[in-house]
Amino acid sequence: MSAFDPSVFSLNSRFEVDHLTIAGVSAAQLAAEFGTPLFVVDEADFKERAGQWKSALETAFGENAGTVYYAAKSFISKEIARWVDGAGIGLDVCTGGELAVAEAINFPAHNIEVHGNNKSEEEIQRAITFGVNTIVIDSFTEIERVSRIAAALGKVQRVFIRVTPGVEAHTHEFISTAHEDVKFGFSLASGAAWDAIAAIRSEPALQLVGLHSHIGSQIFQSEGFAVAAAKLIGLLARYREAYGTQLPELDLGGGYGIAHLTGEVTLNPLQVLTELAAVVKSACAAAEISIPRISIEPGRAIVGPTTTTLYTVGTTKEVELDGGVVRRYIAIDGGMSDNIRPALYGAQYMAILANRLPLGPTANSRIVGKHCESGDIVIREIALSADIAPGDLLAIPATGAYGRSMASNYNHVPRPAVVAVIAGEARVIVRREAIADLLALEI
Ligand SMILES: *Cc1c(COP(=O)(O)O)cnc(C)c1O
């Protein structure tokens, strides 16, 4: 039976006798005060993880440690951006909207990196005007576009190029991004990356400072990162041979895997970065180049494990399957509008009964949402207590990344609130959408 597992829940989550608490606040109290569905962020856990990635990068790479850029797309809000800045790490943004959050709290521009495979003129202009550290160039079209806008603003913009190094990460196809047949970046194998380097070098308003690759998400095997790093270092060596100088920086992206289910592991920052540092050092030694400044972009690995979603059970039913097996459907008050990942990628989650102890036997259960879509399944198969009934609270851990950030208003469902809990205190950091917010958009 699915039970509380400290390795999947946030650092300050406990199962106290008969109920779940997060940073000292009970799930039932959170639900009563803020409603459900509710994203509950363990604030101290977020700050701890952000700090761990920073210190792990510094320990693993020493004087060659660059910046940890938190991937805003995994989940960003003004308060989260303050925590990111407070932890002394940077921010990776992909759109004008994500940049606007950074601008709204005066996030230090020198710690911002801008991604995106189709940045608009306006987004580029705002980023350069704000003074972002680096823009990651994703296409030939963009070389001309960024260069023209920087020149018009009288600036020289630091840029990376995004390289697709031809590494297929061992993860679900839709979230692998570095094999050749993808929309992102310049192919290494085809020579496009090499041509992009030459094109950028000929633009006086662009300063090429390094290479970037991001090989995918929810990756557990560090070989993928190692192979990508070695390929990029090969390109750095070729650059030095051709141009007589070395590009000083390398950004190896994010994608570090986390546990969603009992028995899975959340990659340990120091361990994975120490392995990466060894590969980088030996590849640089073999290529006879000096070690570049190494930056990374973890998103999920920082915010994912910190957050638990609370749902209220609304209805249940039993269905007899072929062979007489019974499946118990448990419908919750959210679903694919607050967690699209199971429907989109087949992502798996676990859940526990959060407001009381389960009584009696378990049932083969399926947790479904409230949307008009048969595929609105949050957990396909889970053993849960057969007495779970309307009004009970379910808690799904490790939902901090790509949950609220990918949330939709499908079926005109308002998006859930996000509440931060720390030391027994809970406060709203993103308020719940109201029906009035939805109607306010309409003519
Ligand atoms: C999505 C993405 C990340 C973050 O990925 P996680 O799996 O959340 O760590 C980092 N960099 C780039 C370029 C991305 O597209």
Side-chain angles (χ1 to χ4, degrees), residues 35-377:
T36 57
L38 187 67
F39 288 101
V40 183
V41 191
D42 182 337
E43 178 174 346
D45 190 14
F46 185 102
K47 292 173 174 172
E48 171 82 21
R49 286 178 205 275
Q52 274 174 7
W53 281 97
K54 179 179 160 70
S55 64
L57 189 73
E58 286 164 359
T59 304
F61 288 95
E63 59 178 8
N64 305 117
T67 305
V68 175
Y69 292 102
Y70 171 67
K73 71 175 188 199
S74 60
F75 177 57
I76 194 68
S77 73
K78 291 198 280 183
E79 185 66 356
I80 297 283
R82 286 182 202 104
W83 300 350
V84 168
D85 185 33
I89 65 174
L91 196 62
D92 143 20
V93 300
C94 305
T95 64
E98 290 174 2
L99 181 63
V101 177
E103 287 178 299
I105 63 137
N106 277 318
F107 195 95
H110 67 85
N111 256 345
I112 297 178
E113 185 191 65
V114 180
H115 272 289
N117 70 301
N118 182 16
K119 308 167 189 78
S120 71
E121 303 243 342
E122 192 190 338
E123 287 171 327
I124 294 166
Q125 175 146 9
R126 276 183 51 204
I128 297 175
T129 305
F130 191 52
V132 299
N133 184 286
T134 323
I135 295 181
V136 183
I137 301 275
D138 206 285
S139 67
F140 287 106
T141 313
E142 206 167 81
I143 296 174
E144 182 278 327
R145 200 173 279 165
V146 176
S147 163
R148 172 168 44 78
I149 295 169
L153 292 168
K155 298 214 183 181
V156 175
Q157 180 59 50
R158 286 167 40 94
V159 299
F160 282 173
I161 68 168
R162 178 158 182 170
V163 178
T164 45
V167 177
E168 200 153 350
H170 291 274
T171 181
H172 193 282
E173 188 192 5
F174 293 164
I175 45 179
S176 311
T177 52
H179 53 286
E180 301 287 329
D181 188 16
V182 289
K183 69 172 185 169
F184 294 109
F186 297 96
S187 154
L188 182 61
S190 75
W194 187 248
D195 294 344
I197 287 174
I200 291 173
R201 279 181 55 95
S202 71
E203 296 288 352
L206 302 181
Q207 182 196 0
L208 181 62
V209 291
L211 307 177
H212 171 278
S213 80
H214 171 74
I215 59 168
S217 280
Q218 193 60 353
I219 297 166
F220 290 98
Q221 296 91 340
S222 52
E223 300 101 89
F225 297 114
V227 173
K231 289 195 176 201
L232 263 58
I233 287 164
L235 190 56
L236 287 182
R238 185 173 170 201
Y239 182 98
R240 207 204 41 194
E241 218 170 276
Y243 297 112
T245 59
Q246 195 184 321
L247 292 174
E249 302 196 32
L250 208 53
D251 184 329
L252 296 173
Y256 306 97
I258 68 160
H260 291 99
L261 302 176
T262 293
E264 291 180 333
V265 290
T266 295
L267 283 182
N268 175 284
L270 187 56
Q271 193 180 328
V272 68
L273 295 181
T274 301
E275 284 173 29
L276 194 58
V279 174
V280 166
K281 280 172 196 161
S282 70
C284 288
E288 296 182 338
I289 62 169
S290 49
I291 300 169
R293 195 172 165 268
I294 303 291
S295 294
I296 55 168
E297 304 164 338
R300 181 195 321 270
I302 293 177
V303 71
T306 68
T307 301
T308 303
T309 310
L310 298 179
Y311 297 102
T312 304
V313 174
T315 64
T316 63
K317 75 165 183 179
E318 262 119 53
V319 174
E320 196 174 315
L321 310 176
D322 292 344
V325 183
V326 171
R327 167 172 291 142
R328 192 154 192 267
Y329 276 84
I330 302 173
I332 51 173
D333 54 354
M336 66 191 298
S337 56
D338 58 74
N339 188 354
I340 190 69
R341 297 187 66 255
L344 193 58
Y345 311 130
Q348 291 184 296
Y349 287 86
M350 64 93 83
I352 63 163
L353 180 58
N355 56 311
R356 61 180 178 86
L357 282 175
L359 303 167
T362 64
N364 169 25
S365 307
R366 171 168 289 181
I367 301 179
V368 297
K370 65 178 282 153
H371 297 282
C372 303
E373 187 82 37
S374 304
D376 178 23
I377 297 169

